[in-house]
Structure formats: structure tokens, C-alpha cells
Amino acid sequence: MAIAYPHFIGSENASMDTGFPSLSLPTPLSPPVILTQDELKKIAAYKAVEFVESGMVLGLGTGSTAKHAVDRIGELLRQGTLKNIVGIPTSKKTHEQAVSLGIPLSDLNEHPVVDLAIDGADEVDPDLNLVKGRGGSLLREKMVEGACKKFVVIVDESKLVNYLGGSGLAMPVEIIPFCWKFTAKRLQDLFEDAGCSAELRIENGEPFVTDNGNYIVNLFFKRDIGDLKAASDAILRIAGVVEHGMFLDMATTVIVAGELGITVKNKH
């Protein structure tokens, strides 16, 4: 989706009957700049990289938004602006990208505490809870980002929702392949009151397989699922479930790129 970035000026007029000062209709100084959704993601990603300092251990996210951040980190390393960075990738795809950019890599075994992680999200609610993992990397993302001192999330404004599941798009759950239909049915029944439907993720006509050799079941909700912590615990109690895509109380900062520019939301 393309979004216009108009450049406006406003001037105060005399107060109207309400007694409040009013602004004149905005006057364009130049034609609106049209930014695509990907360009908005890039703006947010570059802003997030401003949090990175030399000597940090970084969690490197996965997905179209996080890719821009990883590219930027590689660029700053080549320029010498950043030094002594160690990256911990959250997927094989990000690992390959980081290697191609010359970013030194390690893992949680060697660096169990991560200074900062930067990643995208599929949904962000008003309390900065997230849905992540529609790219299929939710388990490794949650392991790395759960070990972070700071977790900066980068999104465009289309990802903001009133409640998790509110976009009507998938909330992914990683499950083992063994008897996956049985597990998917249990997940669907768990959220029957929210009008849940559970679907196996298919790619190129075959079940999508994660980096960990597991399947993904996508949950779709028609209504709010309510208490997120209770929902999380209930999902994880189902045998056959590995992990789910709700990232609760993990983000410390969310950077949102929208038609009015960049908004930075911090966890209170």
C-alpha cells in the first residue's frame, strides 16, 4: 500500500465560536511524497539501528522489515562507524544474510545475554504485546529476543491493532509434525469462543517446515481471545505444541513508520 507524505504548513486564524484557535487548511508546499509499505519499513529499521552501539551483542531478526536493519548494520560495519559487533541470527535466512554482509556471528551458548535485538512484528497492541512468526521463525526469535536487555520492534502503522488477533490474520503456533491434525484440532477447540479456525501452513503445495523441522499451524480469530497470559499458558500446555507467536511483555521499544512520520513507543 502506498502512503502519501504531504508537507504542510498551518497558520493560526482568529478563534471561531468555540473559543479555540483554529488552523487554516493545510497548504501543500510540494507534491506529496508517495512511500510504499516497504519504504516505511526501511525508515523504521534505520531508526532502530540508531540504538546500536559498538561492542554490542545483537539479536538479528527475521523478515522483510528486519532485513533492512541487518543490511544497515552491515553497511555501518563496512564504514567503520560500528565496530566489534557480534550478531545472533534468529533464522537460517538471517544467518545467510549476515554472513554475506560480513557481520560476525555467534549464538546463545556463547552469549547468553544479548544487549539489543531488532526485529519486525505482525501485530502490535496498545500494551506493546506482539504477534510474530508469520515468517515461520517464531521459536528462534523468541529464544533470542527473550534473552535481550532491550528489544526494539520495527513496524509500519498497518501492524497496529486494538487486540492481538485483531487484524484477522494468522497467529502462528509451531507444532511437531507427529499427528499434527490432532494438535491443530485441540488448538482450534481451545479458542472456540473466539471463533477460532486452525489451518496448517502450506507452501508450494507442501506443509511449511521451520528451521527446527516442525510445522506451523495458523490460528485465525473472529473475536478477542481475552487474557493473553492465560491463552499463552493454555497453548503451551497442549502436548505437541513447541511455541506460539504471542510475544507478551517482551518489547521495550516499538518504532512505527506512518504517514505522519516516525513514532517511538516505549514500554512504561
Side-chain angles (χ1 to χ4, degrees):
M1 179 181 69
I3 297 179
Y5 262 60
H7 301 283
F8 292 138
I9 58 171
S11 60
E12 285 195 0
N13 287 338
S15 298
M16 300 178 69
D17 293 341
T18 59
F20 292 102
S22 61
L23 291 176
S24 64
L25 289 173
T27 305
L29 294 178
S30 59
V33 178
I34 304 299
L35 295 182
T36 64
Q37 191 172 32
D38 191 62
E39 287 168 334
L40 290 176
K41 291 176 180 179
K42 189 171 184 178
I43 291 168
Y46 276 44
K47 180 67 176 176
V49 175
E50 293 178 11
F51 287 80
V52 178
E53 299 175 5
S54 293
M56 280 187 166
V57 177
L58 297 177
L60 304 177
T62 297
S64 59
T65 310
K67 180 180 183 299
H68 290 305
V70 177
D71 282 340
R72 180 62 172 163
I73 292 165
E75 181 183 4
L76 294 175
L77 279 171
R78 286 195 304 274
Q79 293 172 356
T81 306
L82 288 177
K83 298 178 181 178
N84 302 319
I85 293 295
V86 175
I88 300 182
T90 55
S91 66
K92 291 178 180 177
K93 189 172 184 179
T94 301
H95 184 281
E96 292 169 1
Q97 180 193 2
V99 167
S100 73
L101 295 168
I103 300 174
L105 298 179
S106 188
D107 58 31
L108 292 175
N109 293 327
E110 296 297 323
H111 296 277
V113 178
V114 181
D115 295 303
L116 170 70
I118 299 174
D119 206 352
D122 301 308
E123 292 183 357
V124 181
D125 79 3
D127 295 318
L128 307 191
N129 295 311
L130 317 171
V131 168
K132 287 177 50 53
R134 288 180 189 153
S137 302
L138 64 96
L139 175 59
R140 297 190 187 193
E141 287 173 344
K142 192 171 282 191
M143 289 178 69
V144 173
E145 289 149 13
C148 291
K149 296 176 183 176
K150 292 183 179 180
F151 177 23
V152 178
V153 177
I154 43 182
V155 294
D156 66 86
E157 62 185 357
S158 71
K159 303 301 192 295
L160 303 181
V161 295
N162 292 325
Y163 59 89
L164 295 193
S167 69
L169 301 175
M171 198 279 278
V173 179
E174 185 162 343
I175 67 170
I176 65 167
F178 175 73
C179 294
W180 69 263
K181 290 181 182 179
F182 172 78
T183 306
K185 180 66 164 56
R186 291 193 68 187
L187 286 165
Q188 181 169 295
D189 291 347
L190 184 64
F191 296 106
E192 184 179 5
D193 289 345
C196 178
S197 62
E199 300 176 8
L200 185 70
R201 178 173 173 179
I202 301 293
E203 204 165 89
N204 299 321
E206 298 289 336
F208 172 83
V209 179
T210 70
D211 286 347
N212 316 299
N214 296 316
Y215 287 174
I216 295 284
V217 168
N218 289 327
L219 303 184
F220 299 89
F221 304 107
K222 293 180 180 177
R223 293 176 290 280
D224 191 343
I225 62 174
D227 186 326
L228 297 177
K229 183 67 167 61
S232 168
D233 291 346
I235 291 171
L236 294 175
R237 280 197 298 269
I238 295 177
V241 167
V242 179
E243 189 52 85
H244 60 70
M246 289 188 291
F247 285 51
L248 307 180
D249 200 30
M250 290 178 62
T252 53
T253 299
V254 175
I255 298 174
V256 184
E259 62 181 44
L260 299 180
I262 291 286
T263 303
V264 179
K265 301 173 182 284
N266 292 304
K267 190 76 175 176
H268 298 301

